Each structure stands twice: as structure tokens, then as C-alpha cells.
Amino acid sequence: MASIVLRHVDKVYGGGVKAVNDLNLEIKDGEFMVLVGPSGCGKSTALRMIAGLEDITSGEILIGDRVVNHLPPKDRDIAMVFQNYALYPHMTVEENLAFGLKLRKMPKAEIQKRVQEAAKMLGLEQYLKRKPAALSGGQRQRVAMGRAIVREPQAFLMDEPLSNLDAKLRVSMRASLNTLHERLGVTTVYVTHDQVEAMTLGDRVCVLRDGVLQQVDTPQNLFDNPVNLFVAGFMGSPSMNFTRAELVRGDGGAYVAFAGYRLPVPDSTFAEKPGLDRYLGRKIILGIRPSDFEDVSAAHDHAGWARMPVRAEVTEELGSEINVLFFIDAPPLEHRDTAAAQETSDDEDGALPLAGDKSLWTARVNSRSHVRPGQQVELVVDTHNMHFFDIDSGLAIGHELNIGR
């Protein structure tokens, strides 16, 4: 096992197109690091540079304590898993697993031992004599992973390995990947455009946009404390609700005013977000996650939560919860960062016809709510979890990475 370090890494293609721009990233020994972002953000390019499949334009890449800039892929002691399984169709599962080890002239007994261990670990023992054509997509992907595991490399590099699988199988394969990493403890770099996959797999997640690193943190911290509008809008499904608002200090304390609503801002928020008080009397961008709403009739304890009466336009019943889509009387937020995040999200809320100059918001409420389309519903909002962003820069106000910027 080994750490992987990228120092000031650039990748410039012909015509001056920068696919990766001054990337600094340290992946710890044994860590599962996920690179996530929209198509064209540079995540696969970064992975291929670590693997040696792409030359770097400038900077340094270290695997363990070796600078590997000019080492060919075979000498980097890494194993890659791709989204297309790249199995040899004329070979059995057993032969596919053993092929790379035979090329290295490994003793037959050691090859047999490693193949059997990997097959047992991945539940492939009964399929060893089958050829890839006789396997399901999930089984083929497990063979591809097994071929990487038998190598016992210093690091696994995975480029969207689950994207060809159906939704239900992706969920079970994510669980398998988590279990494998717990068992093997091998440093893993995993590329995906799916932020749900990133949240469920990564020890830490690196969010990229246009080749530039936006934020690296644990999945929960990315969700709770996004550094800017792009990360806030990209991480989380359904995505965060945004609007322009005014931060006001009144007789009863501070509040945010927007679309005819006034939501109180707790005193503790000003302590947690240094510099927020400087925005009193000014316009800001307010963000509220769908999960920070609840239907007042279905909420157990909503003491101190602010009320927001709305009219439900659409309801999406998901079994354990309901998405309530509603309009607020404010124009949709137009900002380069939220637009970039929305273009890449899986949400299709924007497909609902807009009513004039109003914004479509989503609340995720408990399934005990009996709200139906066209009904008035009283929502409550956990105001302790509101997010505030600077209108010009798009940076989160009071975030530790932004203080002093």
C-alpha cells in the first residue's frame, strides 16, 4: 500500500485547453478517495495521469515515496478497473483472473492461491469455469475487480466501474466495494460523476470543476459545509434550493427575507459563520436543503423551526419520504455556479413548466405527511442549517476556507 500525492499538476492539451489546473491532492495510505464532478471536469484525466496513461504537462506525482512522472504504467504497481470490463472473451473466469500473474512469470502455486482467494472474496467460485459471455454485468465487473485484486498492487484506480450496471445492481456493488476496501485496506482512487456514489463510497471526496479543485472533505462535511455555490448545488439529491434574500437585523433578532417569507437566523449561526454579521442589511444568496424541511403535521419535534406555508405543485412518493415541489414568489437564481451544478445533476425538477417568474423548490418530508398536489401545506424549516453565499463570488460566507479571501 502507498499514499498518492499530486503536487501542482497541470494537463494542457493542444490549443491550450487545460484539463487539469494546478491540482494539489494528498491521498493517504489505505484511503478510499473519490474524484467527482461533471463531464469534462478533469477527474478521469487526473486518474489516467496517476496511472501513467496520460503524460503530465507540469508538476509531480508520487506513489509511495517515488516520483513516477516518467515511469510507465507497468512499473507504477497500480491496478486499474474500467467501466467496460475489458475481459478476454475466449478465456474462462479463472484464466482471466490468472492472466496478468502468468505474464509476470509467477509460480503456478502462488497464482492458484491468489485466484482462489479473490474468487472466494468476490463470490465467484462457482463461475470459475465459465466464460464472460455466460455472466451477468455485475458478475463481469466482479471478475474485473478480481483481476485487479490478485495483483496485490499498492493502489487501485477505478474509472466509473459501476456506470454500466442497472440502478439496483449499482447499490449492491457499492456495498461490495465498501466491504472489499474494509478487508483489503488498499489505497483506492475512484472516479464517478454520480454524487450519490461519491457520498456512499468515499472516506473523502474531491470535487472538481473545469480542472480546478473545489473542495476535498468527508462526504458529510461536503454536504453540511460546502465551500461555494457549485459544491452546494452539486452535492446532495435533490439539490439545494437557492434564492436571493436580504439579511436583516430587526427588533426580534436577525432574519432572512425573501419571496414574502421571513426566516429567523439563530444567534449561534453568527458565531459559527464568522463574517456573516458584515452582510446585515445586504443581499445574499440563501440555500436550504430539501432535507431541512418537514411537514408540520408529520414532524415529531419542530420547536424553534420556522414555518413556511406553501402550495404543493407536485409530490413524489418515495416510500419512506415524499418530495414536495412548490413555487416561491422569487425569480429563479441565475448564477454561473448554480447553473454549472444544475447542468450536471440528476434532478429533473427543471422539466416542470415554470410559472412566470417563480422559483421551483423541493422539500423532502416524512411519508406520514398526507400532502397531495394542489394542496396547501405548512412546512417547517430547520433554520440552524441554512446556508449563506456571497452574491458576487459564490463563496460560502463564514466557511473556514473562505475567511480572509
Side-chain angles (χ1 to χ4, degrees), residues 357-378:
D357 206 20
K358 297 185 177 182
S359 300
L360 185 66
W361 276 27
T362 304
R364 176 162 283 182
V365 303
N366 195 287
S367 60
R368 288 189 299 272
S369 168
H370 299 295
V371 62
R372 293 292 178 269
Q375 291 182 350
Q376 295 293 321
V377 58
E378 183 136 29

Side-chain angles (χ1 to χ4, degrees), residues 15-335:
V17 177
K18 253 194 178 177
V20 174
N21 187 353
D22 195 30
L23 179 57
N24 289 283
L25 185 63
E26 182 172 348
I27 301 155
K28 298 167 190 165
D29 189 0
E31 184 173 30
F32 198 121
M33 173 68 78
V34 178
L35 309 184
V36 70
S39 298
C41 72
K43 56 190 184 295
S44 288
T45 302
L47 191 80
R48 292 172 63 82
M49 287 193 291
I50 295 169
L53 300 174
E54 291 266 9
D55 293 329
I56 70 172
T57 305
S58 61
E60 257 186 356
I61 297 177
L62 291 87
I63 298 177
D65 53 4
R66 289 192 307 170
V67 176
V68 299
N69 288 22
H70 304 296
L71 279 183
K74 67 183 178 63
D75 295 333
R76 297 194 182 196
D77 197 14
I78 51 91
M80 279 201 78
V81 181
F82 299 93
Q83 69 182 81
N84 59 344
Y85 319 119
L87 302 178
Y88 296 105
H90 62 288
M91 293 183 185
T92 64
V93 168
E94 187 172 18
E95 289 166 340
N96 266 286
L97 292 174
F99 184 70
L101 304 182
K102 285 180 179 173
L103 286 182
R104 295 177 171 212
K105 306 284 195 291
M106 191 172 280
K108 280 186 179 178
E110 179 64 16
I111 291 175
Q112 189 65 21
K113 175 172 163 286
R114 290 195 187 188
V115 167
Q116 289 297 330
E117 284 176 355
K120 186 176 181 182
M121 198 182 294
L122 293 162
L124 292 170
E125 292 164 296
Q126 69 203 72
Y127 306 112
L128 286 173
K129 301 303 178 188
R130 292 192 191 178
K131 291 185 175 175
L135 302 177
S136 68
Q139 288 161 350
R140 288 181 204 173
Q141 192 54 279
R142 276 188 277 159
V143 176
M145 287 175 188
R147 201 170 46 186
I149 288 167
V150 296
R151 294 260 311 276
E152 296 184 2
Q154 289 195 86
F156 293 134
L157 307 182
M158 301 189 179
D159 193 1
E160 305 219 31
L162 308 185
S163 60
N164 286 344
L165 307 179
D166 63 56
K168 193 170 183 180
L169 191 51
R170 278 206 304 272
V171 173
S172 65
M173 286 298 290
R174 286 204 304 261
S176 299
L177 272 171
N178 266 323
T179 306
L180 269 177
H181 185 254
E182 289 282 321
R183 191 176 302 175
L184 299 172
V186 178
T187 308
T188 302
V189 188
Y190 186 102
V191 161
T192 181
H193 67 278
D194 182 339
Q195 44 87 21
V196 174
E197 210 166 272
M199 296 277 286
T200 51
L201 281 173
D203 294 328
R204 286 191 301 155
V205 177
C206 165
V207 183
L208 291 165
R209 176 190 176 193
D210 297 334
V212 177
L213 175 67
Q214 302 293 301
Q215 188 173 357
V216 186
D217 216 326
T218 63
Q220 197 60 49
N221 278 341
L222 284 175
F223 186 81
D224 292 338
N225 300 297
V227 72
N228 57 30
L229 277 170
F230 177 78
V231 176
F234 188 77
M235 301 303 291
S237 181
S239 57
M240 189 181 285
N241 303 296
F242 296 109
T243 187
R244 287 176 181 253
E246 188 172 4
L247 185 61
V248 180
R249 173 83 75 188
D251 293 339
Y255 59 89
V256 279
F258 65 97
Y261 299 106
R262 288 169 50 152
L263 303 182
V265 180
D267 292 339
S268 59
T269 299
F270 287 93
E272 292 161 4
K273 299 184 186 294
L276 181 60
D277 54 350
R278 294 200 296 271
Y279 285 82
L280 286 164
R282 293 169 58 187
K283 299 277 190 195
I284 48 102
I285 293 172
L286 170 69
I288 302 177
R289 289 214 179 273
S291 52
D292 287 320
F293 287 96
E294 189 52 273
D295 180 343
V296 72
S297 66
H300 279 311
D301 179 17
H302 54 267
W305 290 32
R307 297 192 172 216
M308 265 186 78
V310 304
R311 179 183 184 275
E313 296 294 329
V314 173
T315 59
E316 299 173 339
E317 297 184 40
L318 305 173
S320 60
E321 53 210 3
I322 300 171
N323 287 340
V324 180
L325 280 65
F326 60 94
F327 287 115
I328 64 166
D329 193 13
L333 179 66
E334 292 182 3
H335 195 283

